[in-house]
Amino acid sequence: MMFRYQLLLVAALALQYVQAQSTTTSYVEPTVPTGSPIPGNYTGALRPQLHFSPPQYFMNDPNGMFLDTEGTYHLYYQCEPFPSWPMYPPMILPDPLELDNPTGIVAGNQHWGHTTSKDLYHWTNQPIAIYPGAEGEGIFSGSAVIDVNNTSGFFPNQTNGVVAIYTLHTPVEETQDIAYSTDNGYTFTKYTGNPVLAINSTQFRDPKVIWHAPTQSWVMVVAYARAFTIGIFTSPNLKNWTHASNFSQAGLLGLQYECPNLVPIPLLLNASGPLAPSNFAPARPDTPSYILTISINPGAPYGGSITEYFPGNFNGTHFTTIDDAARIADFGKDNYAGQFFYGIPDASPTISIAWASNWQYSQVVPTGPRENWRSSMTLPRQNVLIESPIGNAGYDLVSYPVDFSSLYTSGSPLVSNSSLGNSSLFVPYGSLLSSGALAFNITISSIPAAAGTQGGPPMGTVNFTFLSSSTAESLRGGLFLAGDFWLDRSLSSNPFRSNPFFTDKFSSSPAYGDPTANTSRSILAVIDRSIFEVFLDGGQRSATTTFFPEGEMDTLVVGAAGISESVGVSVEVWGLSSTWTGMEAGNGTMAMVQGQK
């Protein structure tokens, strides 16, 4: 969850909460729909077409993600399901229109929104899954599991019961509560014995639970936020939890720890090989088989919020890191609070989705006043570990998007060039793609072995630029062949540039220490109206960045300059279909439910 700003009215809120608790057993904000999804218009010029975004209003952390027994992916998320004045003031105040109207599209009154998918790209919005039970409560971040063996006792006649574990936030305390579902996670009943874990703290949140087969127990990681500690708890039944150990004071601290994840993760035998079981290394005590991720906010290198990760091993009670290094999962500024899906088979890469925004400006981005929504999720990513190509640097996380080739608008690229050389490729795609979404692949091969070394041949660059023909705004990036990748989202004269926290330039060094040993580089990138993601060298480095153009991006230019004649540069540009097409009613409002279970 987000940074908890101190509120002037904490005492009043606490009194309001106590009074509500004593007079109310089932509280639902009257303006929040129950039993039916919130409608949303997905046709806006800034609305992503393959990244998930909420139907309306404000969204932040992904929650409770799991793959059910019928092959459906469930994504819950922190949502503000009706307009309200912010519970947590933004870093920069909203524009005057939002200040005058106390219905800002901001965080507060947190519920668990819900959406489902068969392929992680085509999403069906579902009714809100979990509501606060009293005025002053918030259903904060958490996770969900499938209780196959009915350890909880909630499911005497089924093997697919779902248990959600979440933080119940009130002005006076944060506790860990559970709710259970007998219909595959569409509706939940809160456990009458809540809370299942409480320590009398206002800074204790974001539980992530997994099943640890060797010890036949449930394992929870949860953040003691301001203590910079991740607590590890175990349970036989999801109701009774025992403290096992702590992971403390590691990596970047920022102001607080949030949203921890502890999951098993494959290690690749060959870093350049496929993300497939045939390339997974057997488990060994001297190599990592788990990853712990921790989100911090504020305190990221570029400011605001970010996620770091630690490769290591877990024995059922204690997590041990391979080393003490702090590793950042994304070199952009819009990737936070990522969560891994529960229920992904062991013989597969782990799959994650993160919130594609940053708490420094998430509550003031222009999608609010322009289109009545704020924030999207990242692309779904496959994740594995590799042994770092940098000597003695341990292990790196590789993140690569789940295959989206089914979204290609045709069986062949919009444009391709297998030998670009020192020239440019011009792609005016605006009239060709109503989705405004495309992907490009750039492969650079036969880089000279001495390239990039002192006295070696010139390196050259491969660059790309997205342009708006109506406003001349641009999103740009590029790669020095044996050096850094750079990205610039300043959009020339775009008004949102004036936000002092909207850092507009980013860069990343290559994932190898000796450029003389490298012979190829690659770039995979996806642009989706107002979000851009890039994956370098098969996902060894990745970045997520949002941008908010006044005009629609409609042109791509890819060019190379200063490269040796022996270097090969090939480019493919693919159009991507909207995943919301066919779900629109005549008034542009999405037809939400396609047969809820």
Side-chain angles (χ1 to χ4, degrees), residues 48 78 141 204 233 359 415 493 579 587:
Q78 289 288 287
S141 287
F204 182 55
F233 293 79
W359 279 118
V415 178
S493 60
T579 59
N587 62 1

Side-chain angles (χ1 to χ4, degrees), residues 423-442:
S423 64
S424 297
L425 189 65
F426 184 75
V427 189
Y429 64 87
S431 61
L432 303 176
L433 298 173
S434 60
S435 68
L438 63 76
F440 68 77
N441 285 284
I442 301 175

Side-chain angles (χ1 to χ4, degrees), residues 39 67 94 114 149 219 326 344 439:
L67 175 63
H114 185 203
N149 299 315
V219 174
I344 302 299

Side-chain angles (χ1 to χ4, degrees), residues 247 250-251 261-267 284-294 308-314 318-329 340 384-388 393-398:
F247 180 83
N261 272 228
L262 176 66
V263 294
I265 188 169
L267 173 67
R284 289 171 27 196
D286 60 337
T287 60
S289 58
Y290 275 77
I291 187 171
L292 174 67
T293 63
I294 301 173
E308 59 186 332
Y309 69 93
F310 304 88
N313 286 299
F314 181 65
H318 292 71
F319 175 75
T320 305
T321 59
I322 291 296
D323 54 39
D324 296 325
R327 296 172 171 85
I328 302 298
F340 295 88
V384 296
L385 291 174
I386 62 168
E387 188 170 357
S388 175
Y395 297 84
D396 292 334
L397 177 67
V398 170

Side-chain angles (χ1 to χ4, degrees), residues 509-596:
S509 299
Y512 47 83
D514 179 10
T516 65
N518 196 61
T519 58
S520 66
R521 303 293 305 273
S522 67
I523 304 172
L524 169 65
V526 174
I527 190 170
D528 189 10
R529 295 197 179 181
S530 60
I531 183 170
F532 178 81
E533 295 191 61
V534 63
F535 304 87
L536 307 178
D537 302 321
Q540 294 185 38
R541 295 288 186 270
S542 58
T544 308
T545 189
T546 54
F547 60 101
F548 307 100
E550 294 290 298
E552 295 183 25
M553 295 294 182
D554 55 16
T555 303
L556 169 64
V557 180
V558 179
I563 63 173
S564 167
E565 292 183 0
S566 63
V567 175
V569 179
S570 64
V571 182
E572 290 184 349
V573 180
W574 295 85
L576 299 174
S577 301
S578 168
T579 59
W580 295 106
T581 300
M583 295 184 68
E584 298 173 8
N587 62 1
T589 298
M590 309 316 297
M592 292 301 180
V593 180
Q594 297 182 334
Q596 176 182 323

